[in-house]
Amino acid sequence: MIESTLLPELIAVTARRTPHAMALTCGAASLSYAELQSDVTRFASGLMRLGLGRSERVAIYLEKRFETVIASFGAPAAGAVFVPINPLLKPEQVAFILRDCNVRVLLTSPERLALLQASLATCPDLQHVVLTSATIEDTAPARAAWSVTAWPELLHGPVLAGHRVIDTDMTAILYTSGS
């Protein structure tokens, strides 16, 4: 009989079976399944500490990198819905998606945030921006309605349980080019 597993549990199941096997590789850097599971748990806990509610949206506006994978599994582990955003989209297109699905948390890089700042003013539901860089100086306008947190800061702190999820809960919202 095949055991049913929710998306956020896939990494944990593999980490228990083969913790030292390589899960991700990017250039010379790599993460084992045990390390990936730890990061997924810490990301989910960071979202809980930000006060993210069950089924609230977490947008990921990044190229392919470790943080993209961690957040894609970590958001559902917190009981949230992840929204991957094509890194080729223009700021106005990104803002449309953020407004359309009421994104509360945006994960992006400082470089991408610099391009988005004017458009983010049109996103009333956005509460938090998480940046992949450890340095966040001069990234948010003084009057921004959202807070800025650095990736290392989000992952640092006590481990908290995510909201309870079941197999019928939404996990992701995918926007396509219409093709």
Side-chain angles (χ1 to χ4, degrees):
M1 180 154 101
I2 298 174
E3 181 181 324
S4 177
T5 304
L6 299 175
L7 179 69
E9 298 168 345
L10 291 174
I11 303 296
V13 167
T14 306
R16 282 192 299 273
R17 284 188 207 145
T18 56
H20 302 294
M22 284 304 112
L24 299 174
T25 302
C26 182
S30 61
L31 284 178
S32 69
Y33 277 99
E35 292 167 323
L36 177 58
Q37 175 57 33
S38 173
D39 286 348
V40 165
T41 299
R42 293 183 310 139
F43 181 81
S45 295
L47 293 177
M48 297 303 294
R49 288 190 303 277
L50 289 177
L52 193 71
R54 185 175 187 266
S55 297
E56 289 188 325
R57 281 47 164 170
V58 176
I60 305 165
Y61 184 51
L62 292 171
E63 67 281 1
K64 295 175 185 174
R65 55 191 294 167
F66 290 158
E67 293 93 338
T68 305
V69 176
I70 293 163
S72 296
F73 284 91
V81 176
F82 77 95
V83 182
I85 299 177
N86 184 333
L88 301 177
L89 293 181
K90 294 177 174 61
E92 298 78 24
Q93 295 169 306
V94 173
F96 171 82
I97 292 171
L98 298 179
R99 286 190 308 273
D100 188 57
C101 65
N102 309 99
V103 165
R104 297 283 192 261
V105 177
L106 169 64
L107 169 62
T108 193
S109 67
E111 299 80 19
R112 289 181 187 277
L113 179 60
L115 300 172
L116 290 176
Q117 286 204 18
S119 298
L120 292 182
T122 68
C123 303
D125 296 312
L126 184 63
Q127 296 174 352
H128 306 282
V129 174
V130 177
L131 295 178
T132 56
S133 173
T135 58
I136 59 173
E137 294 80 27
D138 302 321
T139 55
R143 296 179 311 245
W146 31 269
S147 67
V148 178
T149 305
W151 179 263
E153 180 184 336
L154 184 78
L155 270 58
H156 182 74
V159 172
L160 303 174
H163 297 285
R164 182 178 179 271
V165 294
I166 59 173
D167 60 350
T168 57
D169 285 338
M170 185 183 322
T171 300
I173 299 174
L174 308 175
Y175 286 80
T176 67
S177 63
S179 58

